[in-house]
């Protein structure tokens, strides 16, 4: 199920509101179900809408250790990084998932670790959602991707289509996102690794050659 993530460390980024935290949490849970030892770092504190640390109980129940960034510096230009993050980087017996901020400022938390990340077996994944106004067109999505690469000093190696409309998501919406992901892939040469879909939609997406990654909704809106 998680074979599209071929590296030990999976760094997940994308425009805010693309659903990258939902993807990150589901990916961590899927890896844990496969019997892998998983650690997850919630480094998204610059304008976060959903926070993976809100699902700490479910993650820890699944055997996943969650590391959270400091709340004390949430307005700082470069957020506080927990010392425990080094455990993910240095313990080669774990699969590490890093949920990164949804803009270049948030992604800057990776810049200080760039030399070490380049030495480790890591991949930078870019999550796209064709319903986010700023990145719904290929040119905007590519420009945003390149800005994150410039800030982090890392090269993106995979695109994740996570197009949704929350409770109003349809198969057609997911397919719209697949078209956007394919266009970004053609322009950048970066492969599309998977299409994210609630489990109920998976049978209707079996024609895709890329992995269709089934999820269950973990992140709830503040008023839910």
């Amino acid at each position: 199920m998680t074979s599209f993530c071929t590296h030990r460390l999976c760094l997940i980024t994308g425009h805010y509101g693309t659903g990258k935290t939902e993807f990150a949490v589901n990916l961590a849970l899927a890896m844990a179900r496969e019997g892998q030892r998983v650690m997850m770092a919630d480094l998204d504190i610059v304008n976060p809408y959903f926070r993976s640390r809100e699902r700490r109980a479910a993650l820890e129940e699944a055997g996943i250790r969650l590391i959270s960034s400091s709340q004390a510096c949430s307005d700082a230009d470069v957020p506080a990084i927990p010392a425990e993050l080094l455990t993910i980087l240095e313990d080669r017996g774990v699969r590490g998932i890093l949920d990164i901020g949804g803009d270049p400022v948030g992604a800057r938390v990776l810049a200080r670790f760039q030399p070490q990340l380049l030495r480790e077996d890591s991949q930078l994944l870019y999550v796209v959602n064709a319903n986010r106004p700023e990145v719904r067109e290929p040119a905007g999505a590519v420009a945003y991707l390149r800005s994150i690469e410039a800030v982090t000093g890392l090269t993106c190696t995979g695109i994740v289509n996570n197009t949704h409309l929350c409770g109003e998501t349809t198969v057609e919406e997911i397919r719209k996102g697949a078209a956007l992901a394919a266009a970004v892939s053609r322009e950048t040469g970066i492969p599309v690794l998977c299409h994210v879909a609630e489990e109920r939609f998976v049978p209707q997406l079996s024609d895709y050659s890329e992995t269709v990654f089934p999820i269950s909704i973990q992140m709830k809106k503040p008023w839910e």
Side-chain angles (χ1 to χ4, degrees):
M1 181 186 298
T2 64
S3 57
F4 57 89
C5 287
T6 58
H7 301 263
R8 185 179 74 81
L9 301 177
C10 185
L11 320 175
I12 300 173
T13 189
H15 198 279
Y16 66 87
T18 54
K20 59 188 178 54
T21 295
E22 185 75 73
F23 169 64
V25 169
N26 272 273
L27 181 60
L29 292 170
M31 287 181 173
R33 287 193 296 269
E34 293 172 352
Q36 302 183 57
R37 184 170 160 237
V38 183
M39 293 181 66
M40 183 173 181
D42 177 1
L43 302 179
D44 187 356
I45 72 170
V46 178
N47 297 321
Y49 189 64
F50 292 121
R51 302 170 175 88
S52 52
R53 52 187 171 270
E54 295 171 2
R55 300 298 293 160
R56 180 182 295 276
L59 290 165
E60 292 181 347
E61 183 178 352
I64 299 165
R65 180 179 172 187
L66 178 64
I67 298 170
S68 297
S69 48
S70 171
Q71 288 294 312
C73 302
S74 60
D75 294 325
D77 188 40
V78 180
I81 303 299
E84 296 94 326
L85 179 59
L86 292 176
T87 305
I88 294 182
L89 300 181
E90 296 174 354
D91 185 349
R92 293 182 174 86
V94 304
R95 296 295 302 276
I97 298 176
L98 281 66
D99 182 10
I100 310 304
D103 60 19
V105 173
R108 193 172 299 163
V109 300
L110 287 183
R112 72 184 70 179
F113 296 105
Q114 186 249 21
Q116 187 166 359
L117 287 168
L118 290 176
R119 293 194 299 269
E120 296 295 329
D121 180 26
S122 64
Q123 62 186 145
L124 180 65
L125 303 186
Y126 180 60
V127 178
V128 299
N129 181 341
N131 290 317
R132 294 303 303 166
E134 300 88 342
V135 291
R136 65 173 47 161
E137 300 296 334
V142 171
Y144 204 83
L145 165 60
R146 296 309 189 197
S147 68
I148 290 175
E149 289 182 323
V151 168
T152 62
L154 302 172
T155 301
C156 178
T157 58
I159 298 167
V160 174
N161 167 32
N162 189 34
T163 298
H164 63 89
L165 278 174
C166 297
E168 299 180 9
T169 302
T170 63
V171 169
E172 289 69 30
E173 292 297 329
I174 299 170
R175 291 187 179 278
K176 179 174 70 174
L180 171 63
V184 173
S185 178
R186 285 193 297 271
E187 186 163 339
T188 62
I190 301 169
V192 177
L193 296 188
C194 71
H195 306 283
V196 180
E198 289 181 67
E199 293 179 357
R200 60 194 172 110
F201 295 128
V202 171
Q204 303 172 67
L205 299 168
S206 60
D207 54 305
Y208 284 119
S209 59
E210 302 90 4
T211 297
V212 177
F213 179 60
I215 66 167
S216 58
I217 300 301
Q218 300 290 328
M219 310 308 299
K220 303 297 183 181
K221 299 182 181 68
W223 55 87
E224 293 181 327

